Amino acid sequence: METQLDPTKDDLPLMANTSHMLVKHYVLDLDVDFKSRVIEGIIVLFLETGSRYRKASSTGKKGCQSYLNETCKTGSSEPCHVSVSNASVFSSEAEYSDFAVCRKGEKDTSDKNGNHSNEKQTSGISSSKNCCDKENHGNKDFLLVLDCCDLSVLKVEEVDIAAVSGIEKFTMSAELTDVSKGLENLRNQIVHELVTLPLDRCQEQLHYFTCCSQAPGCGELEFTTGTWSLEIRKQGVQTPTDFPHAIRIWYKTKPEGRSVTWTTDQSGRPCVYTMGSPINNRALFPCQEPPIASSTWQASVRASAGFVVLMSGENSAEPVQLQEGITSWYYYVTMPMPASTFTIAVGCWQEVKQQCFTADIQTEDEFSMPFSQDDFRWHKESCGHVEYPCRFQNPAATLQRVIPYRVFAPLCLVERCEEHLLQLIPQCLSAAYSTLGTHPFSRLDVLIVPSNFSSLGMASPHIIFLSQSVLPGGSHLCGTRLCHEIAHSWFGLAIGARDWTEEWISEGFATFLEDVFWARAQQQLSCDEEKEQQELKALLRWRRLRDEVQNSEEELQVLRPHKESTGEVSESGASFVKHGLKAEKVFMQVHYLKGYFLLRSLASTLGEASYLASLRKFIHKFHGQLVLSQDFLSTLLEDIPEQKESELTVESISQNWLDTSGIPKPLLEEGETWKECKLVQQVSAEVTKWIQANQRIRKSSKKKRKQDEVVFQKVPL
């Protein structure tokens, strides 16, 4: 990690020096232009000193007394809408167009896209010495390194948040001297007080984030763009403690940028959306990509009237008309999340509504609650995550079986969504609640995305993308995929992998839980029918895993490629995702399938009731946090001492399932047992009929002759 990354390799670099500084909040103010296929605007970053420098940062509080105990009326979180193109408060038009930053002695190398940078291009992970070295920082300026790719960065400046009206409530500026050093410390202290406000003041916090993001600039900052990064410096500042904690970046995306795709929907109307790129969101906005850099965000997005902006946000945004033909949409989140989970979709989406629609959902009295008293005791305990408005501590949220939801689709698919999707969502949400308990997120939007979407679905906070392919398949295909994506609310979002190479923690759990959710969503299945369905799916997945193992590179079949080094980063916080850019990896299912079979094996060994109870305990303990495989395995095994006789240990599970390629040894023998399942035999017989009928049709001549009638059966799936 301290060495240069080989640009010829297929690893995805995570360049941000998160050990030095962490982004705590993003404020985005963007315009979407479909003619040029560009998203342009500003992003304001509110930063805190990283773990290596927090002790030094604490000494800077002297002279900046906080008034956090003072009562204050909550301000509106809705932003003041300012058009980026006319935002004279930030800089003049001349400054904007003529701006270029160069180091002393270097020439301007602005490219034809307006991307102002220095000649140096960094394509590898730099040693932490290039960012900030404790022993050698005396003669070097500190560099803030952000993950950035396919962006035209136009300008970077420090934000004078001390100029915001009412901000004095956070500090006592009268105790500071007038020297510039004191003013800089004041600005940084204001950011610290703002990002650490208690959760009961979150709306006030959002209000002041908005106000601070619109404050005037107080000095341009030098920057350098590289293949994978944006490096920012302030001359003479040699430590993260003294570096500006509120910076504004002016930028625009490129039409070929890999984080979003510009296309047309199924009705032929233009749209743009984040499609789950391997490089995540670094071509949408400069950010800190490593999962450890979890942050909150708020965004105002402007588009032409008639377009609907959907985004990962806690609020169900409504359009605000700014001027004729232009509307603005505002979203926010108060739960810290990795920047990779930020999602946006802008198009002429139609909201799918059905009047007089009542879902056939069992009520609290009708539905037998699977939770024990121990489950409810866990909810009374404090959470282990950083402070945010947590639904697991909200009594009303813990009883909310079905969260509010909306469905959007291109005009031509609205009717299909009414027929299939609308009635399935409450059933699947209710089934998920009956299995895992409290929904981590307060609402859900479901969008049928354009036909170029390469997957069946994708989950992000508060929003799910579904492929049009799930609609014609009846309730089964649509329902199982919906259950899979809903499961990501717990595994993949509320609980994330600390190391992205352990994607089985997200996909393996979602694949396992989709079966559990869907069986409960169907409601009328007997225990035998549920078991037969799951054994049929297990056989199909086993065959798919076997085929994939036979036709892929061995190193891509390992669930924990870093083994015991999983989760480790460089001194600066930079790291890489092994094989993150390998093209074939996008289409592989090994992390889904091996992860699923590991969890299925554990459930079989422990018993489903005990296993699901352990899952609920794990969720309550680790929601809002990042985990490694051993965190889950240790939690699962620690309360089940009788299982020690079966030699289930974290080490043995890791060796058999996580750290080796191929099909795990415990799974090799089990593959044949599923063939004895009654439903499997019935499906096999029907498949044989279809094959034989197809062969007879092909062999028959053009001359008409009477054919024996073949009777096909409908398989109960």
Side-chain angles (χ1 to χ4, degrees), residues 4-15:
Q4 290 287 325
L5 186 75
D6 186 349
T8 64
K9 297 291 185 181
D10 51 28
D11 299 329
L12 174 66
L14 304 177
M15 305 292 289

Side-chain angles (χ1 to χ4, degrees), residues 12-13 15 122-123 146-149 226-229 279 282 581:
L12 174 66
M15 305 292 289
T122 53
S123 59
L146 301 175
D147 293 296
C148 176
C149 178
T227 305
W228 293 109
S229 66
I279 68 167
R282 66 184 70 187
L581 296 176

Side-chain angles (χ1 to χ4, degrees), residues 262-292:
W262 300 83
T263 184
T264 55
D265 66 18
Q266 292 85 338
S267 296
R269 298 177 177 179
C271 61
V272 59
Y273 68 102
T274 48
M275 68 292 193
S277 168
I279 68 167
N280 299 310
N281 284 323
R282 66 184 70 187
L284 177 58
F285 59 91
C287 58
Q288 290 182 329
E289 282 280 340
I292 193 66

Side-chain angles (χ1 to χ4, degrees), residues 514-620:
E514 76 174 60
D515 292 353
V516 180
F517 291 178
W518 181 238
R520 297 189 178 196
Q522 294 175 88
Q523 300 175 2
Q524 298 177 350
L525 286 182
S526 67
C527 293
D528 289 340
E529 289 173 331
E530 179 181 340
K531 182 180 178 181
E532 287 180 348
Q533 269 197 17
Q534 294 188 2
E535 288 187 349
L536 173 60
K537 290 181 179 180
L539 177 61
L540 296 175
R541 288 168 178 154
W542 186 87
R543 290 179 175 176
R544 198 185 319 157
L545 176 61
R546 179 194 59 192
D547 292 343
E548 187 162 291
V549 165
Q550 293 174 351
N551 295 281
S552 62
E553 300 176 28
E554 287 191 4
E555 60 181 3
L556 298 181
Q557 302 168 13
V558 180
L559 299 190
R560 198 171 67 146
H562 290 311
K563 297 182 171 58
E564 297 304 323
S565 298
T566 301
E568 294 182 4
V569 297
S570 69
E571 188 181 9
S572 69
S575 61
F576 64 91
V577 181
K578 193 171 181 62
H579 305 307
L581 296 176
K582 201 171 186 67
E584 56 265 43
K585 191 174 184 295
V586 177
F587 303 100
M588 292 187 65
Q589 297 284 304
V590 66
H591 291 81
Y592 295 71
L593 300 174
K594 287 179 74 171
Y596 156 79
F597 281 115
L598 167 57
L599 299 175
R600 192 175 191 276
S601 174
L602 293 173
S604 176
T605 302
L606 306 180
E608 183 170 292
S610 297
Y611 177 71
L612 292 179
S614 294
L615 278 192
R616 290 190 291 272
K617 177 183 177 182
F618 176 73
I619 289 168
H620 186 76

Side-chain angles (χ1 to χ4, degrees), residues 167-185:
I167 205 70
E168 60 272 8
K169 71 170 63 179
F170 297 110
T171 59
M172 184 174 289
S173 58
E175 295 187 9
L176 291 172
T177 62
D178 291 332
V179 298
S180 60
K181 183 75 171 178
L183 187 56
E184 291 169 357
N185 286 342

Side-chain angles (χ1 to χ4, degrees), residues 345-613:
V346 184
C348 298
W349 323 120
Q350 302 292 312
E351 185 172 0
V352 182
K353 295 181 179 180
Q354 186 168 334
Q355 303 297 329
C356 303
F357 171 75
T358 55
D360 184 20
I361 297 297
Q362 293 161 308
T363 66
E364 195 76 30
D365 294 333
E366 294 172 330
F367 211 109
S368 59
M369 296 297 291
F371 310 139
S372 67
Q373 291 299 318
D374 286 339
D375 288 321
F376 291 104
R377 175 173 53 80
W378 296 333
H379 283 270
K380 296 178 182 179
E381 299 174 359
S382 60
C383 300
H385 53 70
V386 298
E387 192 177 46
Y388 67 84
C390 177
R391 288 175 54 81
F392 287 84
Q393 295 297 327
N394 183 332
T398 60
L399 298 176
Q400 193 174 23
R401 181 179 299 278
V402 178
I403 57 177
Y405 62 91
R406 304 184 299 180
V407 177
F408 293 86
L411 181 62
C412 64
L413 295 178
V414 168
E415 187 174 339
R416 285 189 184 180
C417 290
E418 290 176 348
E419 293 174 358
H420 300 291
L421 191 54
L422 272 182
Q423 60 187 353
L424 288 174
I425 293 177
Q427 294 174 5
C428 295
L429 287 172
S430 180
Y433 173 85
S434 72
T435 305
L436 299 181
T438 306
H439 290 282
F441 301 101
S442 58
R443 69 174 197 93
L444 176 65
D445 282 341
V446 179
L447 171 66
I448 302 299
V449 288
S451 57
N452 68 339
F453 187 55
S454 61
S455 177
L456 289 178
M458 186 178 78
S460 300
H462 310 284
I463 186 169
I464 287 174
F465 290 170
L466 286 182
S467 167
Q468 64 176 13
S469 302
V470 305
L471 296 177
S475 62
H476 181 81
L477 179 57
C478 190
T480 54
R481 177 45 54 172
L482 190 58
C483 286
H484 182 101
E485 304 306 333
I486 289 174
H488 279 308
S489 294
W490 288 269
F491 293 97
L493 295 175
I495 299 175
R498 196 192 312 170
D499 189 314
W500 275 339
T501 59
E502 289 202 300
E503 57 190 285
W504 82 270
I505 294 177
S506 172
E507 298 300 350
F509 275 94
T511 304
F512 174 82
L513 287 168
E514 76 174 60
D515 292 353
V516 180
F517 291 178
W518 181 238
R520 297 189 178 196
Q522 294 175 88
Q523 300 175 2
Q524 298 177 350
L525 286 182
S526 67
C527 293
D528 289 340
E529 289 173 331
E530 179 181 340
K531 182 180 178 181
E532 287 180 348
Q533 269 197 17
Q534 294 188 2
E535 288 187 349
L536 173 60
K537 290 181 179 180
L539 177 61
L540 296 175
R541 288 168 178 154
W542 186 87
R543 290 179 175 176
R544 198 185 319 157
L545 176 61
R546 179 194 59 192
D547 292 343
E548 187 162 291
V549 165
Q550 293 174 351
N551 295 281
S552 62
E553 300 176 28
E554 287 191 4
E555 60 181 3
L556 298 181
Q557 302 168 13
V558 180
L559 299 190
R560 198 171 67 146
H562 290 311
K563 297 182 171 58
E564 297 304 323
S565 298
T566 301
E568 294 182 4
V569 297
S570 69
E571 188 181 9
S572 69
S575 61
F576 64 91
V577 181
K578 193 171 181 62
H579 305 307
L581 296 176
K582 201 171 186 67
E584 56 265 43
K585 191 174 184 295
V586 177
F587 303 100
M588 292 187 65
Q589 297 284 304
V590 66
H591 291 81
Y592 295 71
L593 300 174
K594 287 179 74 171
Y596 156 79
F597 281 115
L598 167 57
L599 299 175
R600 192 175 191 276
S601 174
L602 293 173
S604 176
T605 302
L606 306 180
E608 183 170 292
S610 297
Y611 177 71
L612 292 179

